[in-house]
Each structure stands twice: as structure tokens, then as C-alpha cells.
Amino acid sequence: MKKQWALAWGAFTLFSLAYAASDSDWGEYKPFKGSYLMYSNTLGEQQPPTSHERKISFMVTGSVAKDMFDSMAPDSKERCSLEKGYRQRDKEKVSCVRDHDGYRCYFGFNLRSGKSIAESIC
């Protein structure tokens, strides 16, 4: 199991680095900070991934999360916290928040179907 995670993370990192070096007139790929979780079942009741069910949840932070948050205006009417300064933006299956810890965005994929899935829980 750890070997699969290491391989997935290695491939993801290599892919990111390969494109980070590309150059164009309008923009370029940039490295980013983030974490991921592979699991089965639901995010709220996650279980280890199985051969039949494997999902991945990404959480990105820092400048990429700020850029995503800023691109997703306006703030959501329903939000996960009433904490002062907490802001949340949701578009389809991507969710971003800004609070005292900074910016975080969440998104995910069902790796068996390839479909995008919502990966944030309150």
C-alpha cells in the first residue's frame, strides 16, 4: 500500500516538475504546496483504499490556494464556520476557504471512474 502511494506521489511530483520548467508567453506551470489522501468509502467515514474503490482527495495551500480562492468569487452563502474572518467559496466540486490559518482548497477524483468528486467536509 505504501509503495502505491509513493509511486503515485512520485509520478505526480515528476509531472509537476516537468511542466514547472516549461515556458510560454502567457504563463507557466508553477510548483505548489499540498497534501493528498487516498481512501475508499466517504471522506467522512474513510477506509483504506481497496482494489474496487479508490479515491483521492487533494488539499492545496499557499499561493495556489489564494489564486484559486480569488478566482472563485463570490463567497458561498452556506459556510462551514461562523468564525470571524472565515470565508468560503464553492464551485461545483472545488471548495476553498480563507481563515486564520491562510488559504486552503480541496478537490478530488474517483480513481476508478476518473470523475471529479467533492472533497471537503464541514
Side-chain angles (χ1 to χ4, degrees), residues 50-111:
T50 68
S51 60
H52 300 291
E53 186 179 21
R54 186 171 296 260
K55 299 172 184 172
I56 190 164
S57 174
F58 290 99
M59 178 184 71
V60 295
T61 59
S63 61
V64 68
K66 182 184 184 312
D67 288 346
M68 290 173 67
F69 182 91
D70 291 345
S71 298
M72 294 172 63
D75 288 2
S76 300
K77 291 181 180 169
E78 294 183 25
R79 54 189 210 164
C80 293
S81 174
L82 298 176
E83 177 183 319
K84 185 176 181 173
Y86 179 92
R87 294 175 61 194
Q88 180 175 332
R89 295 180 176 175
D90 302 296
K91 299 292 184 217
E92 292 288 323
K93 296 179 172 127
V94 179
S95 179
C96 293
V97 299
R98 186 189 86 180
D99 62 13
H100 65 277
D101 290 329
Y103 292 89
R104 293 180 310 283
C105 293
Y106 303 89
F107 54 93
F109 301 94
N110 179 321
L111 295 171

Side-chain angles (χ1 to χ4, degrees), residues 1-14:
M1 189 66 59
K2 287 184 180 181
K3 184 178 179 181
Q4 291 172 331
W5 287 12
L7 288 173
W9 183 249
F12 180 73
T13 302
L14 184 61

